[in-house]
Amino acid sequence: MKLTIESGVTRGMGSPVFDFRGDIEISDKAISQDLRKVSFERIHLAQYWLDGEELRMVVYREREGDKPHGYVEVTVRTRSGDEGDYVGQYSVTVFDMTDASGGEGKTYNFTGRAVCMVE
């Protein structure tokens, strides 16, 4: 998996984000192609939290078009490290409704180490 998220955050009231963007590429071929390579924009940032000790975010994007339901959700949970970076874990959940007739669909879960650089 390759995951990149970039954004600016102001230190003002509420620490709003700007220029938010991200990309994920998942190599697991069991997942439909359109959910394996997904781009994120500001509208996909469902939640975020940045204070002096923690950086957390949830990014969520549903499959578009007339295809069966599917989504990619990325959760990042980090804490401030020794060198100013935020270090922790990410988790990715992919739900792929592969059967248009209303079958159960499949859920795929991935986790790994996250490092966020803050300037």
Side-chain angles (χ1 to χ4, degrees), residues 40-94:
F40 301 107
E41 298 175 17
R42 172 63 179 100
I43 61 171
H44 303 117
L45 180 60
Q47 298 178 6
Y48 74 96
W49 172 268
L50 173 63
D51 68 12
E53 296 180 17
E54 292 182 309
L55 170 61
R56 295 181 176 208
M57 69 178 66
V58 177
V59 184
Y60 177 85
R61 182 161 185 180
E62 290 188 356
R63 171 183 273 148
E64 295 179 352
D66 59 351
K67 295 181 179 181
H69 180 63
Y71 66 83
V72 176
E73 180 177 284
V74 178
T75 302
V76 177
R77 294 181 180 165
T78 63
R79 296 190 64 76
S80 180
D82 293 336
E83 297 181 25
D85 292 341
Y86 286 73
V87 179
Q89 296 287 317
Y90 73 83
S91 62
V92 175
T93 300
V94 179

Side-chain angles (χ1 to χ4, degrees), residues 6 19 39 47 78 97:
E6 299 177 31
D19 282 342
S39 293
Q47 298 178 6
T78 63
M97 181 67 80

